[in-house]
Amino acid sequence: MKWFALLFAASLVPAGASGAGLGDVKTVYLLPMPGSLDQYLAIRLTTGSILQVVTDPQKADAIFTDRIGSGLEETLADLFNDRPKDKSKDEFGSGKPNAPPITRGRGAIFLVDRKTRDVLWAANERPKNSSPEEIEHAADRIAGKLARSLKGK
């Protein structure tokens, strides 16, 4: 099961995507995550000088999130106030997609380009439990993986 999750996450990272790439990301905004993972990750990213964390999403090159799909699209539309004026309606007239989010799995984390909404980087780092110490260790491992990916670019 771990291999499937890793392969799935790796398949989400575009190989030759046009636009900004992982190496172009300098500033990130973190969406709230369970167990305050976003807070621990912000600490690791800044103290390790990996990326600059911003509190204004408008200043971010990319967004860290633990989910992708329609839920993320709704959140980004709210953050950036870029909802289409004439949304197409679904069969119930709500204008919301019928498809469930692609993932909201524990341990999955994504770095999404703010403008293109492309997944630039993904990792699967499931904490063993929900203790603050374990969430902090998970943030350490995520930050380390990201730092290695950035150095390789």
Side-chain angles (χ1 to χ4, degrees):
M1 183 59 110
K2 238 182 187 179
W3 283 103
F4 175 77
L6 290 173
L7 288 172
F8 175 74
S11 71
L12 294 172
V13 182
S18 60
L22 182 57
D24 297 323
V25 175
K26 304 295 181 230
T27 58
V28 294
Y29 180 81
L30 290 94
L31 291 175
M33 297 178 206
S36 297
L37 177 60
D38 55 311
Q39 303 298 306
Y40 290 110
L41 190 53
I43 292 167
R44 295 299 172 245
L45 293 173
T46 56
T47 59
S49 299
I50 299 168
L51 291 171
Q52 180 182 358
V53 176
V54 296
T55 58
D56 179 359
Q58 298 290 338
K59 295 179 180 178
D61 298 323
I63 309 293
F64 259 114
T65 181
D66 65 337
R67 68 189 190 283
I68 56 177
S70 60
L72 175 61
E73 290 300 322
E74 288 284 320
T75 300
L76 294 179
D78 289 342
L79 278 175
F80 300 113
N81 199 21
D82 63 356
R83 293 191 181 278
K85 292 187 190 314
D86 185 33
K87 293 197 303 188
S88 61
K89 304 281 185 186
D90 65 11
E91 63 184 289
F92 303 108
S94 70
K96 293 183 180 178
N98 288 330
I102 294 173
T103 184
R104 175 92 188 193
R106 290 182 36 165
I109 188 158
F110 306 93
L111 185 62
V112 178
D113 184 276
R114 185 188 137 209
K115 293 180 180 163
T116 66
R117 311 281 169 91
D118 291 339
V119 175
L120 301 173
W121 182 84
N124 188 10
E125 191 58 57
R126 177 177 263 179
K128 294 176 183 158
N129 57 54
S130 60
S131 70
E133 294 80 17
E134 183 56 31
I135 301 294
E136 185 175 18
H137 289 305
D140 285 340
R141 293 186 297 266
I142 291 166
K145 288 178 181 180
L146 178 60
R148 287 187 296 278
S149 293
L150 286 168
K151 285 182 182 176
K153 294 274 175 189

